[in-house]
Structures are given as structure tokens and as C-alpha cells.
Short mmCIF file of all heavy atoms in Angstrom, two decimals:
data_model
loop_
_atom_site.label_atom_id
_atom_site.label_comp_id
_atom_site.label_asym_id
_atom_site.label_seq_id
_atom_site.Cartn_x
_atom_site.Cartn_y
_atom_site.Cartn_z
N ALA A 932 1.15 15.97 55.61
CA ALA A 932 0.79 17.12 56.43
C ALA A 932 0.68 16.66 57.89
O ALA A 932 0.51 15.47 58.17
CB ALA A 932 -0.53 17.72 55.97
N PHE A 933 0.80 17.61 58.80
CA PHE A 933 0.56 17.31 60.22
C PHE A 933 0.03 18.57 60.89
O PHE A 933 0.32 19.70 60.47
CB PHE A 933 1.84 16.82 60.92
CG PHE A 933 2.97 17.82 60.97
CD1 PHE A 933 3.11 18.71 62.03
CD2 PHE A 933 3.90 17.88 59.94
CE1 PHE A 933 4.14 19.62 62.08
CE2 PHE A 933 4.94 18.80 59.98
CZ PHE A 933 5.06 19.68 61.05
N TRP A 934 -0.76 18.37 61.93
CA TRP A 934 -1.34 19.50 62.65
C TRP A 934 -0.28 20.17 63.51
O TRP A 934 0.37 19.53 64.32
CB TRP A 934 -2.49 19.05 63.54
CG TRP A 934 -3.72 18.60 62.79
CD1 TRP A 934 -4.25 17.34 62.76
CD2 TRP A 934 -4.58 19.42 62.00
NE1 TRP A 934 -5.38 17.32 61.99
CE2 TRP A 934 -5.61 18.58 61.51
CE3 TRP A 934 -4.59 20.78 61.66
CZ2 TRP A 934 -6.64 19.06 60.70
CZ3 TRP A 934 -5.61 21.25 60.84
CH2 TRP A 934 -6.63 20.40 60.37
N ASN A 935 -0.15 21.47 63.35
CA ASN A 935 0.73 22.28 64.18
C ASN A 935 -0.12 23.31 64.91
O ASN A 935 -1.21 23.67 64.47
CB ASN A 935 1.79 22.98 63.32
CG ASN A 935 2.85 23.66 64.15
OD1 ASN A 935 3.17 23.21 65.25
ND2 ASN A 935 3.42 24.74 63.65
N ARG A 936 0.38 23.76 66.09
CA ARG A 936 -0.33 24.73 66.92
C ARG A 936 -1.72 24.21 67.29
O ARG A 936 -2.71 24.95 67.28
CB ARG A 936 -0.40 26.09 66.23
CG ARG A 936 0.99 26.70 66.06
CD ARG A 936 0.99 27.94 65.21
NE ARG A 936 2.36 28.47 65.07
CZ ARG A 936 2.76 29.23 64.06
NH1 ARG A 936 1.90 29.60 63.13
NH2 ARG A 936 4.00 29.67 64.00
N PHE A 937 -1.74 22.94 67.62
CA PHE A 937 -2.98 22.29 68.04
C PHE A 937 -3.38 22.79 69.41
O PHE A 937 -2.57 22.86 70.33
CB PHE A 937 -2.75 20.77 68.08
CG PHE A 937 -3.86 19.97 68.71
CD1 PHE A 937 -5.14 20.01 68.19
CD2 PHE A 937 -3.61 19.18 69.83
CE1 PHE A 937 -6.16 19.26 68.77
CE2 PHE A 937 -4.61 18.43 70.40
CZ PHE A 937 -5.89 18.47 69.87
N ILE A 938 -4.65 23.15 69.56
CA ILE A 938 -5.17 23.66 70.83
C ILE A 938 -6.24 22.69 71.33
O ILE A 938 -7.28 22.52 70.69
CB ILE A 938 -5.75 25.07 70.68
CG1 ILE A 938 -4.66 26.03 70.18
CG2 ILE A 938 -6.33 25.57 72.01
CD1 ILE A 938 -5.15 27.43 69.89
N LYS A 939 -5.97 22.03 72.44
CA LYS A 939 -6.87 21.00 72.94
C LYS A 939 -8.27 21.53 73.23
O LYS A 939 -9.26 20.81 73.10
CB LYS A 939 -6.30 20.38 74.22
CG LYS A 939 -5.07 19.50 73.98
CD LYS A 939 -4.61 18.88 75.29
CE LYS A 939 -3.43 17.94 75.06
NZ LYS A 939 -2.95 17.34 76.33
N ALA A 940 -8.36 22.80 73.63
CA ALA A 940 -9.66 23.35 74.02
C ALA A 940 -10.56 23.67 72.83
O ALA A 940 -11.75 23.92 73.00
CB ALA A 940 -9.45 24.61 74.86
N GLU A 941 -10.02 23.68 71.63
CA GLU A 941 -10.82 24.01 70.46
C GLU A 941 -11.81 22.89 70.13
O GLU A 941 -11.58 21.73 70.44
CB GLU A 941 -9.92 24.24 69.23
CG GLU A 941 -9.23 25.60 69.21
CD GLU A 941 -8.48 25.81 67.91
OE1 GLU A 941 -8.31 24.84 67.15
OE2 GLU A 941 -8.08 26.96 67.66
N LYS A 942 -12.91 23.26 69.48
CA LYS A 942 -13.83 22.25 68.99
C LYS A 942 -13.11 21.37 67.98
O LYS A 942 -12.29 21.84 67.21
CB LYS A 942 -15.05 22.92 68.34
CG LYS A 942 -15.93 23.68 69.33
CD LYS A 942 -17.09 24.33 68.63
CE LYS A 942 -17.97 25.08 69.61
NZ LYS A 942 -19.12 25.75 68.95
N ARG A 943 -13.45 20.09 67.96
CA ARG A 943 -12.70 19.14 67.14
C ARG A 943 -13.26 18.97 65.73
O ARG A 943 -12.65 18.32 64.90
CB ARG A 943 -12.70 17.76 67.82
CG ARG A 943 -12.08 17.75 69.21
CD ARG A 943 -10.58 18.04 69.15
NE ARG A 943 -9.93 17.71 70.39
CZ ARG A 943 -9.78 18.55 71.41
NH1 ARG A 943 -10.24 19.78 71.30
NH2 ARG A 943 -9.19 18.16 72.51
N THR A 944 -14.43 19.55 65.43
CA THR A 944 -15.05 19.29 64.14
C THR A 944 -14.14 19.66 62.98
O THR A 944 -14.06 18.95 61.98
CB THR A 944 -16.37 20.07 64.02
OG1 THR A 944 -17.19 19.77 65.14
CG2 THR A 944 -17.10 19.69 62.75
N VAL A 945 -13.42 20.78 63.10
CA VAL A 945 -12.55 21.20 62.00
C VAL A 945 -11.47 20.16 61.75
O VAL A 945 -11.08 19.91 60.60
CB VAL A 945 -11.93 22.58 62.30
CG1 VAL A 945 -10.98 22.53 63.47
CG2 VAL A 945 -11.24 23.13 61.05
N TYR A 946 -10.99 19.50 62.81
CA TYR A 946 -9.97 18.47 62.64
C TYR A 946 -10.55 17.22 61.97
O TYR A 946 -9.98 16.70 61.01
CB TYR A 946 -9.36 18.10 64.00
CG TYR A 946 -8.59 19.23 64.64
CD1 TYR A 946 -9.10 19.92 65.74
CD2 TYR A 946 -7.34 19.62 64.15
CE1 TYR A 946 -8.40 20.96 66.33
CE2 TYR A 946 -6.63 20.65 64.74
CZ TYR A 946 -7.18 21.33 65.82
OH TYR A 946 -6.47 22.36 66.40
N THR A 947 -11.65 16.74 62.48
CA THR A 947 -12.22 15.50 61.94
C THR A 947 -12.72 15.69 60.51
O THR A 947 -12.56 14.79 59.68
CB THR A 947 -13.37 15.00 62.83
OG1 THR A 947 -14.35 16.03 62.99
CG2 THR A 947 -12.85 14.59 64.20
N LYS A 948 -13.31 16.84 60.21
CA LYS A 948 -13.79 17.07 58.85
C LYS A 948 -12.62 17.21 57.87
O LYS A 948 -12.68 16.73 56.74
CB LYS A 948 -14.69 18.30 58.80
CG LYS A 948 -16.06 18.08 59.40
CD LYS A 948 -17.02 19.19 59.04
CE LYS A 948 -18.44 18.86 59.49
NZ LYS A 948 -19.41 19.91 59.08
N THR A 949 -11.54 17.86 58.34
CA THR A 949 -10.36 17.99 57.48
C THR A 949 -9.75 16.62 57.23
O THR A 949 -9.36 16.29 56.10
CB THR A 949 -9.32 18.92 58.13
OG1 THR A 949 -9.89 20.20 58.33
CG2 THR A 949 -8.09 19.05 57.23
N GLU A 950 -9.67 15.81 58.27
CA GLU A 950 -9.09 14.48 58.11
C GLU A 950 -9.92 13.63 57.15
O GLU A 950 -9.37 12.88 56.33
CB GLU A 950 -8.97 13.81 59.49
CG GLU A 950 -7.86 14.45 60.33
CD GLU A 950 -7.94 14.11 61.81
OE1 GLU A 950 -8.82 13.30 62.18
OE2 GLU A 950 -7.14 14.65 62.58
N SER A 951 -11.24 13.76 57.21
CA SER A 951 -12.10 13.04 56.28
C SER A 951 -11.89 13.53 54.86
O SER A 951 -11.85 12.74 53.90
CB SER A 951 -13.57 13.20 56.68
OG SER A 951 -13.83 12.62 57.93
N LEU A 952 -11.75 14.84 54.71
CA LEU A 952 -11.53 15.42 53.39
C LEU A 952 -10.19 14.99 52.81
O LEU A 952 -10.08 14.65 51.63
CB LEU A 952 -11.60 16.95 53.47
CG LEU A 952 -11.46 17.72 52.15
CD1 LEU A 952 -12.55 17.31 51.18
CD2 LEU A 952 -11.52 19.23 52.41
N PHE A 953 -9.16 14.96 53.67
CA PHE A 953 -7.84 14.51 53.22
C PHE A 953 -7.90 13.05 52.76
O PHE A 953 -7.32 12.68 51.74
CB PHE A 953 -6.81 14.66 54.35
CG PHE A 953 -6.09 15.98 54.34
CD1 PHE A 953 -6.78 17.17 54.31
CD2 PHE A 953 -4.70 16.03 54.36
CE1 PHE A 953 -6.13 18.39 54.30
CE2 PHE A 953 -4.03 17.25 54.34
CZ PHE A 953 -4.75 18.43 54.31
N GLN A 954 -8.61 12.24 53.52
CA GLN A 954 -8.74 10.83 53.15
C GLN A 954 -9.45 10.69 51.82
O GLN A 954 -9.07 9.88 50.96
CB GLN A 954 -9.50 10.08 54.24
CG GLN A 954 -9.56 8.57 54.02
CD GLN A 954 -10.19 7.84 55.19
OE1 GLN A 954 -10.82 8.46 56.05
NE2 GLN A 954 -10.04 6.54 55.23
N GLU A 955 -10.48 11.50 51.62
CA GLU A 955 -11.23 11.47 50.35
C GLU A 955 -10.35 11.87 49.17
O GLU A 955 -10.43 11.28 48.09
CB GLU A 955 -12.42 12.43 50.47
CG GLU A 955 -13.24 12.58 49.20
CD GLU A 955 -14.29 13.67 49.33
OE1 GLU A 955 -14.80 13.87 50.45
OE2 GLU A 955 -14.58 14.33 48.32
N LYS A 956 -9.49 12.87 49.38
CA LYS A 956 -8.63 13.37 48.31
C LYS A 956 -7.35 12.54 48.14
O LYS A 956 -6.61 12.71 47.17
CB LYS A 956 -8.23 14.82 48.60
CG LYS A 956 -9.39 15.80 48.65
CD LYS A 956 -10.01 16.00 47.29
CE LYS A 956 -11.09 17.08 47.33
NZ LYS A 956 -11.72 17.28 46.01
N GLY A 957 -7.09 11.65 49.10
CA GLY A 957 -5.87 10.84 49.04
C GLY A 957 -4.63 11.57 49.49
O GLY A 957 -3.52 11.21 49.11
N TYR A 958 -4.80 12.61 50.35
CA TYR A 958 -3.67 13.37 50.86
C TYR A 958 -3.28 12.81 52.23
O TYR A 958 -4.11 12.80 53.15
CB TYR A 958 -4.01 14.85 51.01
CG TYR A 958 -4.28 15.55 49.70
CD1 TYR A 958 -5.17 16.63 49.64
CD2 TYR A 958 -3.64 15.17 48.52
CE1 TYR A 958 -5.43 17.28 48.45
CE2 TYR A 958 -3.90 15.82 47.33
CZ TYR A 958 -4.80 16.87 47.29
OH TYR A 958 -5.04 17.51 46.11
N PRO A 959 -2.05 12.36 52.43
CA PRO A 959 -1.63 11.77 53.71
C PRO A 959 -1.57 12.82 54.82
O PRO A 959 -1.07 13.92 54.63
CB PRO A 959 -0.24 11.21 53.41
CG PRO A 959 -0.15 11.14 51.92
CD PRO A 959 -0.99 12.26 51.41
N LEU A 960 -2.07 12.44 55.99
CA LEU A 960 -2.06 13.31 57.17
C LEU A 960 -1.57 12.49 58.36
O LEU A 960 -2.15 11.46 58.69
CB LEU A 960 -3.45 13.87 57.44
CG LEU A 960 -3.63 14.79 58.65
CD1 LEU A 960 -2.81 16.06 58.48
CD2 LEU A 960 -5.11 15.13 58.84
N PHE A 961 -0.50 12.95 58.99
CA PHE A 961 0.03 12.26 60.15
C PHE A 961 -0.97 12.27 61.31
O PHE A 961 -1.80 13.17 61.42
CB PHE A 961 1.32 12.93 60.62
CG PHE A 961 2.58 12.38 59.97
CD1 PHE A 961 3.79 13.04 60.15
CD2 PHE A 961 2.58 11.23 59.23
CE1 PHE A 961 4.96 12.56 59.58
CE2 PHE A 961 3.73 10.73 58.66
CZ PHE A 961 4.92 11.39 58.84
N ASN A 962 -0.83 11.29 62.17
CA ASN A 962 -1.63 11.24 63.39
C ASN A 962 -1.18 12.30 64.40
O ASN A 962 -1.98 12.85 65.15
CB ASN A 962 -1.54 9.84 64.01
CG ASN A 962 -2.15 9.76 65.40
OD1 ASN A 962 -1.44 9.83 66.40
ND2 ASN A 962 -3.46 9.61 65.47
N SER A 963 0.11 12.62 64.40
CA SER A 963 0.69 13.52 65.40
C SER A 963 0.12 14.93 65.31
O SER A 963 -0.12 15.45 64.22
CB SER A 963 2.21 13.58 65.23
OG SER A 963 2.78 12.30 65.33
N ARG A 964 -0.06 15.55 66.48
CA ARG A 964 -0.49 16.95 66.56
C ARG A 964 0.45 17.68 67.51
O ARG A 964 0.60 17.30 68.67
CB ARG A 964 -1.93 17.03 67.08
CG ARG A 964 -2.95 16.33 66.18
CD ARG A 964 -4.37 16.45 66.73
NE ARG A 964 -5.32 15.75 65.88
CZ ARG A 964 -6.64 15.72 66.11
NH1 ARG A 964 -7.14 16.36 67.17
NH2 ARG A 964 -7.44 15.06 65.30
N VAL A 965 1.07 18.73 67.01
CA VAL A 965 2.00 19.51 67.82
C VAL A 965 1.23 20.65 68.48
O VAL A 965 0.59 21.45 67.79
CB VAL A 965 3.15 20.07 66.94
CG1 VAL A 965 4.10 20.90 67.80
CG2 VAL A 965 3.89 18.92 66.25
N GLU A 966 1.31 20.72 69.80
CA GLU A 966 0.51 21.69 70.54
C GLU A 966 1.02 23.12 70.43
O GLU A 966 2.20 23.37 70.17
CB GLU A 966 0.42 21.27 72.01
CG GLU A 966 -0.37 19.99 72.20
CD GLU A 966 -0.78 19.79 73.65
OE1 GLU A 966 -0.96 20.79 74.37
OE2 GLU A 966 -0.90 18.63 74.05
N SER A 967 0.11 24.03 70.65
CA SER A 967 0.43 25.46 70.60
C SER A 967 0.80 25.95 72.00
O SER A 967 -0.05 26.41 72.76
CB SER A 967 -0.78 26.24 70.07
OG SER A 967 -0.50 27.63 70.03
N LEU A 968 2.07 25.85 72.34
CA LEU A 968 2.55 26.31 73.64
C LEU A 968 3.82 27.14 73.45
O LEU A 968 4.62 26.89 72.55
CB LEU A 968 2.83 25.11 74.56
CG LEU A 968 1.60 24.29 74.98
CD1 LEU A 968 2.02 23.06 75.77
CD2 LEU A 968 0.64 25.14 75.80
N VAL A 969 4.00 28.12 74.33
CA VAL A 969 5.12 29.05 74.22
C VAL A 969 6.46 28.34 74.26
O VAL A 969 7.43 28.76 73.61
CB VAL A 969 5.04 30.11 75.34
CG1 VAL A 969 6.27 31.02 75.31
CG2 VAL A 969 3.77 30.95 75.19
N SER A 970 6.55 27.25 75.01
CA SER A 970 7.84 26.56 75.19
C SER A 970 8.42 26.02 73.89
O SER A 970 9.62 25.78 73.80
CB SER A 970 7.69 25.43 76.21
OG SER A 970 6.71 24.50 75.80
N ILE A 971 7.59 25.83 72.88
CA ILE A 971 8.11 25.33 71.59
C ILE A 971 9.10 26.33 71.02
O ILE A 971 10.13 25.94 70.44
CB ILE A 971 6.95 25.05 70.61
CG1 ILE A 971 6.24 23.77 71.01
CG2 ILE A 971 7.46 24.95 69.18
CD1 ILE A 971 5.14 23.34 70.07
N LYS A 972 8.81 27.61 71.16
CA LYS A 972 9.75 28.62 70.68
C LYS A 972 10.81 28.94 71.72
O LYS A 972 11.98 29.12 71.39
CB LYS A 972 8.99 29.90 70.31
CG LYS A 972 8.21 29.81 69.00
CD LYS A 972 7.68 31.16 68.58
CE LYS A 972 7.02 31.10 67.22
NZ LYS A 972 6.52 32.42 66.77
N GLU A 973 10.41 29.00 72.98
CA GLU A 973 11.35 29.37 74.04
C GLU A 973 12.49 28.36 74.16
O GLU A 973 13.63 28.73 74.47
CB GLU A 973 10.62 29.48 75.38
CG GLU A 973 9.75 30.72 75.50
CD GLU A 973 9.13 30.83 76.87
OE1 GLU A 973 9.08 29.80 77.59
OE2 GLU A 973 8.69 31.94 77.24
N LYS A 974 12.21 27.08 73.93
CA LYS A 974 13.22 26.04 74.10
C LYS A 974 13.75 25.51 72.77
O LYS A 974 14.37 24.46 72.71
CB LYS A 974 12.66 24.91 74.95
CG LYS A 974 12.31 25.38 76.36
CD LYS A 974 11.96 24.23 77.28
CE LYS A 974 11.70 24.75 78.69
NZ LYS A 974 11.38 23.65 79.64
N ARG A 975 13.51 26.27 71.72
CA ARG A 975 14.06 25.92 70.41
C ARG A 975 15.56 26.17 70.41
O ARG A 975 16.03 27.22 70.82
CB ARG A 975 13.38 26.82 69.37
CG ARG A 975 13.92 26.76 67.97
CD ARG A 975 13.21 27.81 67.13
NE ARG A 975 13.42 29.14 67.66
CZ ARG A 975 12.58 30.16 67.49
NH1 ARG A 975 11.45 30.00 66.84
NH2 ARG A 975 12.84 31.35 67.99
N SER A 976 16.33 25.19 69.98
CA SER A 976 17.79 25.33 69.98
C SER A 976 18.40 24.47 68.89
O SER A 976 17.95 23.35 68.64
CB SER A 976 18.36 24.91 71.34
OG SER A 976 19.77 24.85 71.30
N THR A 977 19.46 25.00 68.26
CA THR A 977 20.20 24.23 67.27
C THR A 977 21.38 23.49 67.91
O THR A 977 22.06 22.73 67.24
CB THR A 977 20.75 25.14 66.15
OG1 THR A 977 21.78 25.99 66.68
CG2 THR A 977 19.65 25.98 65.54
#
């Protein structure tokens, strides 16, 4: 799994608690977080 639509201004507790829970359950979680910005869709191209 990896975080998508990451918002820097949000409180971080939900991220850290989820990461701890994933570690407890043995579910892999990438370090990368993809930010929630309009340009991700605007500059999407095949």
C-alpha cells in the first residue's frame, strides 16, 4: 500500500497510527506519499 492524496496540512496521527497498525498486522506500506494536488490529474498523459 502507499499513501495517495496526502495533504501536508493534515494532522499526522492518522498516518502514524495506520503505519503502526500495518506493521503489527504485517502489511507492507511504502514510505512514499503522493500529494493531493490538481496537477496530478491536469498533467496526466499516456
